[in-house]
Amino acid sequence: MIYDLALFSMSIRGAQVMTAIALTKPGVALGLAGTDAKGNGIVHEHRLYQLIRQKNLNHDHVIKIEFLDKGVQAFAFTFG
């Protein structure tokens, strides 16, 4: 089974906005699209950003999403 989390968002005026994504369970690979191995990424256009893609996720998690810069709008999350 695959578990996905995506966020539909955009940056204001096309600015690049730094983000950081983290799961509460250490040692679980994030499988992020558009981010580095530590969960750092950039929101730069109006689109759906895949934040997490996990296979066989057998534990409950809290997901922390930080926008490290000003200028982002978030509209909706999708889970699957």
Side-chain angles (χ1 to χ4, degrees):
M1 184 175 259
I2 296 175
Y3 298 89
D4 290 324
L5 171 65
L7 172 64
F8 187 69
S9 63
M10 66 178 282
S11 65
I12 299 171
R13 294 182 293 278
Q16 292 192 348
V17 178
M18 296 298 299
T19 61
I21 313 297
L23 289 175
T24 55
K25 300 281 184 185
V28 175
L30 292 176
L32 300 165
T35 62
D36 65 18
K38 293 183 180 181
N40 299 309
I42 297 174
V43 172
H44 58 87
E45 62 184 337
H46 191 211
R47 70 181 184 93
L48 185 67
Y49 289 87
Q50 182 179 351
L51 304 179
I52 296 175
R53 184 168 182 85
Q54 287 285 309
K55 293 183 180 179
N56 302 322
L57 190 62
N58 296 323
H59 306 285
D60 291 338
H61 293 280
V62 174
I63 300 162
K64 180 180 177 183
I65 302 169
E66 281 187 87
F67 298 104
L68 304 176
D69 300 316
K70 294 180 181 180
V72 71
Q73 293 180 325
F75 300 104
F77 287 99
T78 63
F79 300 89

